[in-house]
Each structure stands twice: as C-alpha cells, then as structure tokens.
Amino acid sequence: MPLSHHHPVDSSAVLDWYDLHARDLPWRVSPGDRRAGISPDPYRVWLSEVMLQQTTVAAVKAYFLRFTGLWPTVFDLAAAPLDAVLREWAGLGYYARARNLHACAQAVVKEHGGVFPQSSAGLQALPGIGAYTSAAIAAICFDEPIAVLDGNLDRVLARFYAVPVPVREVKDDLRAALQASVPKRAGDFAQAMMDLGATICAPRNASCLICPLQPGCIAAREGTPLLYPVKPAKAEKPVRRGHAYVMRDAAGDVYLQTRPAKGLLASMTEVPTSPWVAEPAEPDFPLTAEWRRCGSIVHVFTHFRLELDVWSAVVAPEGLEHGWWAEPATLGREALPTLFRKVLAEAGLS
DNA sequence: AATGCGGGGAC
DNA sequence: GTCCCAGCATT
C-alpha cells in the first residue's frame, strides 16, 4: 500500500505557519524578504547545508560565521589551502565533509565559473552533495519543486502517515508523498517542514495542538505521535582501548603528526598513539624516556567507544621523522579533532 | 542494502 | 547515561 496514494501534506497551512514562526538563522532569507524578491546566496546555503549534515543547528552557527568571515565567496574558499579549511573544521566532525567542501568549491570555480549549478541534478554531481543537499539547495535557492527529505522529515512524515516500519524501508514512498505536496514556494516549504520538525514535531516532544499538520496527521489522531518513527534494532557499541603519547621537548613544545589520508579522522592532526584494540595492552612508547601516566580519557565515535590512557614525557627530539613540534599556545590553531584535544587537556595542555 | 564516518546539544 | 541531529561515500 504505497504511501503516495495517501493524502498529501497541507502545504498552505505549513507555509502560513512558517510566515509567522520561521526561525532566524544566519544563512536564511526570511519568508518576508523572500516574498520581496530577495534570493539566498547559493554559496552560503551550500556551506550551511554541508555543515548541517548530521549536525545540529546549535553546533553549526559559530562555524558558519567563522567560515563566511574568512571566506565570503566560493572563490575565496577555493583559493584557500586545504589545511586551513581542515583547521577551521576541527571539532565539527565528519572530516570528509571538509575535504569534499574544498573540492566542491574548486569544482564550482574551475568547471562552472564560480556559479553553482541551478538544478538538483547538476548540484548532486559535485563532491559532498547527495540526494538531500542537492534538493535542499535547489529548492531554497531556485525554488525547484523537489522533495527535500532529511531526518526531520523522516520523523514528521512517519508520524503523519503512521508508518509502522523503519523509515528506510519506505523511503521512496515517503519521497513520493512529499513530492506530491510541494507547492510553488518550494524553498520556503522545505525550510518550513524542517523548522516544524525541529520545533513542533520534535523527537521526544510532539506539540500536536499547535501543529499546522495536525488535521491530517494519523499519529496525532491516534494520540501516539511518539511511537513514530519506528526504530530499527541498534547494534552494541564495542570498546577499543589504547595509549596516547604526549611528548614535549626541552622547550616545552608538543610533538604532533598528521593522521593517514584514509579512514577515521583522515588527514587530521594527532599525537602518537598505540593501536586501538579490544583487549587492554601494555604501552609501546615511541621513545625511551621517563613516561608519566597523566590519566585516561573516553571518546565515543559513531561505531565504537575509545578509552585512551594518556602518557607524557620530556624527550630528546630525535628519531621522530614525520611530525612537528608545536608551542602549546598555538594548539588552538592546529587541525586537532576533539579526541586529541581531550588527550592534550588530560596532559595539562590547552 | 550495510557500513564507516564525529561531536555535541537536549533530555 | 540515551537519542539523534538539514547525510554522504563506499562497498
């Protein structure tokens, strides 16, 4: 029983609600300005959408303002060194996004004269732009009438249609149902639905009494919105353990190096560590020195939990080939993921 | 269709 | 502690 055969979303009610209650966001053109003919800057919309992939609005705001201050146009970003982009991205997570962001900016400049493609299909051919992001940019910037389906919409539609199975099993049906609901103001509709999902139809709180979609919502009628979306069984998160080695020279500088170009935290900055393994193992110090155990830190990744013992020592700077020595005062400008900022903090730095 | 890939805000 | 967030690339 395809959901596309069900009733569409009442886009007029959603847009009326959005005209009154749209969130004020740094990358957004308000519905009033949009009606007055002001269009969003595709560069800023693209940058915000990439940052917002699996990342909350609250976490993105400061990064967005920092990036647009440093690089106001796609030309500026394309001309920036990749390592500068990685430094600024440090702490935001999913670092492949930063590499794809830089590659995308260069592709837009070199292959499109600095002008973003104006269709979702054209946008999706660019690095780091997938089904969601291409649709979002095309709708928001160019009012392309396309379904913009993100995690918020998965939840809103799962409730609206009372979908009894995990969303991934009916994704195409949800997209078709949403596609049939897209009005002329496609960009405002997309943003309205996401605002609604972020405020009224939230994961752990559904304010059905003030929801513009309430009249057609099956879960609201049943009084059971929080039963949806149905969650697939989640796998247990394994633990890995290891040791981190904070080396300082006689001047107090810290030894840093670059992680491999592929895999977890690719190309980011780190301090040396042991392998991360399931069973506890003795430290394999990179140099002979008087090592002192500072403590331990815990960091949770998407697919495992990491526990590192943190060691520090003053060493003679010899036999270390790949890295560099950084003054503690400059650590804030290194491309250090949060994991290694925790390690350095445990060693009394930063 | 599954999996790898971060970090933090909100509860 | 748990949940999940304006997902994408790869296999």
Side-chain angles (χ1 to χ4, degrees):
Chain A
M1 184 167 55
L3 296 165
S4 53
H5 294 170
H6 288 63
H7 58 295
V9 170
D10 184 349
S11 61
S12 293
V14 173
L15 286 170
D16 288 346
W17 172 82
Y18 183 69
D19 286 338
L20 291 175
H21 302 295
R23 286 182 291 177
D24 184 14
L25 302 172
W27 47 85
R28 172 174 288 177
V29 171
S30 72
D33 285 349
R34 191 77 188 85
R35 282 182 182 281
I38 299 175
S39 292
D41 177 357
Y43 169 69
R44 292 168 60 86
V45 172
W46 161 72
L47 177 60
S48 72
E49 291 297 347
V50 173
M51 288 183 166
L52 286 162
Q53 289 165 4
Q54 292 292 287
T55 309
T56 57
V57 166
V60 162
K61 278 183 178 172
Y63 283 86
F64 178 82
L65 295 173
R66 177 83 178 152
F67 268 68
T68 52
L70 285 170
W71 303 300
T73 73
V74 69
F75 296 100
D76 301 315
L77 184 57
L82 174 59
D83 67 331
V85 177
L86 291 177
R87 279 201 303 274
E88 294 302 326
W89 199 276
L92 198 53
Y94 285 147
Y95 298 97
R97 292 187 294 174
R99 288 187 296 282
N100 284 330
L101 186 84
H102 191 246
C104 183
Q106 296 195 325
V108 168
V109 167
K110 289 182 179 172
E111 300 168 20
H112 301 278
V115 180
F116 279 84
Q118 302 197 9
S119 70
S120 56
L123 288 161
Q124 197 167 345
L126 292 165
I129 299 184
Y132 162 75
T133 305
S134 60
I137 298 171
I140 293 170
C141 296
F142 311 117
D143 275 326
E144 179 174 321
I146 186 170
V148 180
L149 196 51
D150 74 332
N152 282 312
L153 272 288
D154 284 349
R155 178 177 58 258
V156 173
L157 296 176
R159 291 173 179 169
F160 192 76
Y161 296 114
V163 177
V165 296
V167 166
R168 65 162 185 264
E169 297 180 22
V170 293
K171 192 89 171 179
D172 291 342
D173 292 322
L174 288 184
R175 180 172 285 104
L178 183 61
Q179 182 68 53
S181 309
V182 176
K184 186 170 182 180
R185 291 172 61 193
D188 280 350
F189 177 66
Q191 295 176 92
M193 290 295 288
M194 291 189 279
D195 275 20
L196 194 151
T199 57
I200 290 180
C201 198
R204 279 182 276 203
N205 183 26
S207 304
C208 300
L209 293 178
I210 60 170
C211 180
L213 292 182
Q214 189 276 331
C217 181
I218 299 175
R221 188 168 72 228
E222 296 174 347
T224 58
L226 298 186
L227 293 182
Y228 308 96
V230 174
K231 300 284 182 290
K234 59 169 175 153
E236 195 105 344
K237 196 166 285 197
V239 177
R240 295 185 199 172
R241 298 177 177 84
H243 304 272
Y245 309 117
V246 178
M247 290 178 275
R248 307 186 71 179
D249 65 13
D253 292 351
V254 187
Y255 183 75
L256 301 177
Q257 59 190 17
T258 299
R259 291 179 59 78
K262 290 184 179 295
L264 187 70
L265 306 176
S267 303
M268 299 298 286
T269 300
E270 67 173 2
V271 300
T273 74
S274 71
W276 304 344
V277 295
E279 294 304 317
E282 293 301 310
D284 54 338
F285 299 117
L287 290 177
T288 301
E290 295 204 11
W291 288 94
R292 181 177 69 87
R293 184 175 177 281
C294 308
S296 64
I297 62 100
V298 173
H299 193 73
V300 181
F301 292 100
T302 305
H303 49 299
F304 65 95
R305 167 190 173 94
L306 179 63
E307 301 176 2
L308 289 181
D309 283 341
V310 179
W311 301 81
S312 72
V314 176
V315 302
E318 294 163 9
L320 298 168
E321 298 290 328
H322 309 293
W324 64 94
W325 295 87
E327 297 178 23
T330 67
L331 291 175
R333 293 193 290 279
E334 299 283 354
L336 285 161
T338 298
L339 163 63
F340 294 105
R341 295 196 182 278
K342 289 182 184 176
V343 168
L344 290 166
E346 192 67 26
L349 295 161
S350 79

